[in-house]
Amino acid sequence: MRGRFITLEGGEGAGKTTQRARLAAMLREAGREVVETREPGGEAGAEAIRTLLVSGEPGRWEPVAETLLHYAARAQHVARVIAPALARGAWVISDRFADSTAVYQGAGQGVAAATIRAIDAASLAGFAPDLTLILDIPVADGLARAAARADTNRYERFDAAFHGRIREGFLAIARAEPGRCAVIDATRPLDDVARAIGEAVGARLGVTLPA
Ligand code: Z5A
């Protein structure tokens, strides 16, 4: 039986990487094989493209070129990691996926939504997550959490207005696709966020997870 594909989305410092590990542990305890992955990256060629995307100055890439790089990485990632794992019955949890392109390159960098949809259709032929968890946090709080890390990446150097469009962009996707997306209040303590995620996954994908 095919596995399930869950994506975690949100702005910087929302807690996606932390909560990916927590959700993976809950699913493993419930007896599922779990593959944890991330974007951009998650596959050798895609990780090489990631290096091009997360380093250098904010204006390094033309927005449409940046969109194509994200989708080049994603096509590799889906074909060589995600789809084979789902086919053998594993559950896949990805820290970011296509909604990040719609939001960062679309709402953030001004690439037309129709252009992104066309690139998506040409690259993924309709492949999409079963469930997307949007971790929502005010921009300043998320950036403060992210700044506490030693490494900062290229996207964290975009200006405050950019990051405001990112938050609104994710919330707009959640409003447009309530069947696929669940918004999680990520301002709460780690354990509370993990519990809310477990409840959303349990309710939406029909799996009983440890409390
Ligand atoms: N990007 C794009 O433009 N287009 C695309 O299509 C894709 C991506 C796929 C990838 O960077 C960048 O690529 C990304 C968008 C762009 N922009 N940035 N930056 P990344 O993956 O390296 O960065 P990120 O996704 O934003 O990750 P992050 O900053 O590491 O945030 P996070 O994963 O959401 O948070 P975290 O690492 O789990 O937690 C951050 C800190 O907060 C850490 O110290 C935690 O211990 C702490 N934390 C987490 N949760 C809590 C709670 N609940 N309370 C208190 N403290 C917490």
Side-chain angles (χ1 to χ4, degrees):
M1 196 177 132
R2 180 188 177 276
R4 297 302 188 102
F5 181 36
I6 301 170
T7 58
L8 289 157
E9 298 279 9
E12 274 82 322
K16 298 174 298 298
T17 309
T18 308
Q19 294 298 337
R20 183 188 73 193
R22 296 288 294 260
L23 177 59
M26 286 190 270
L27 285 166
R28 287 184 183 119
E29 213 178 313
R32 301 297 193 280
E33 180 196 347
V34 180
V35 173
E36 292 181 65
T37 189
R38 70 168 181 181
E39 288 206 348
E43 185 276 340
E47 287 289 335
I49 295 171
R50 178 188 173 94
T51 304
L52 296 173
L53 285 161
V54 301
S55 60
E57 291 309 306
R60 177 178 186 181
W61 298 106
E62 286 299 313
V64 74
E66 190 157 339
T67 304
L68 290 164
L69 284 170
H70 278 292
Y71 268 96
R74 184 162 301 131
Q76 285 280 119
H77 187 207
V78 170
R80 299 190 179 193
V81 175
I82 299 174
L86 294 173
R88 69 170 185 268
W91 287 47
V92 178
I93 310 173
S94 186
D95 186 344
R96 298 194 182 279
F97 193 67
D99 294 317
S100 280
T101 313
V103 168
Y104 280 80
Q105 281 64 56
Q109 293 180 281
V111 178
T115 301
I116 297 177
R117 278 198 300 273
I119 295 170
D120 187 282
S123 311
L124 303 187
F127 180 83
D130 296 298
L131 174 63
T132 295
L133 301 158
I134 293 177
L135 273 56
D136 183 51
I137 186 170
V139 172
D141 299 352
L143 288 176
R145 283 185 191 170
R149 292 175 324 199
D151 58 323
T152 59
N153 73 39
R154 175 173 159 257
Y155 291 93
E156 287 160 32
R157 295 193 287 275
F158 280 77
D159 64 25
F162 175 88
H163 291 286
R165 294 197 296 280
I166 299 308
R167 184 183 187 198
E168 286 312 313
F170 281 122
L171 293 175
I173 289 175
R175 284 192 297 273
E177 296 187 62
R180 172 173 69 86
C181 301
V183 177
I184 306 289
D185 175 0
T187 61
R188 293 171 291 174
L190 279 178
D191 288 347
D192 294 357
V193 178
R195 196 172 307 111
I197 286 175
E199 285 167 7
V201 171
R204 302 236 187 175
L205 298 183
V207 59
T208 306
L209 296 177

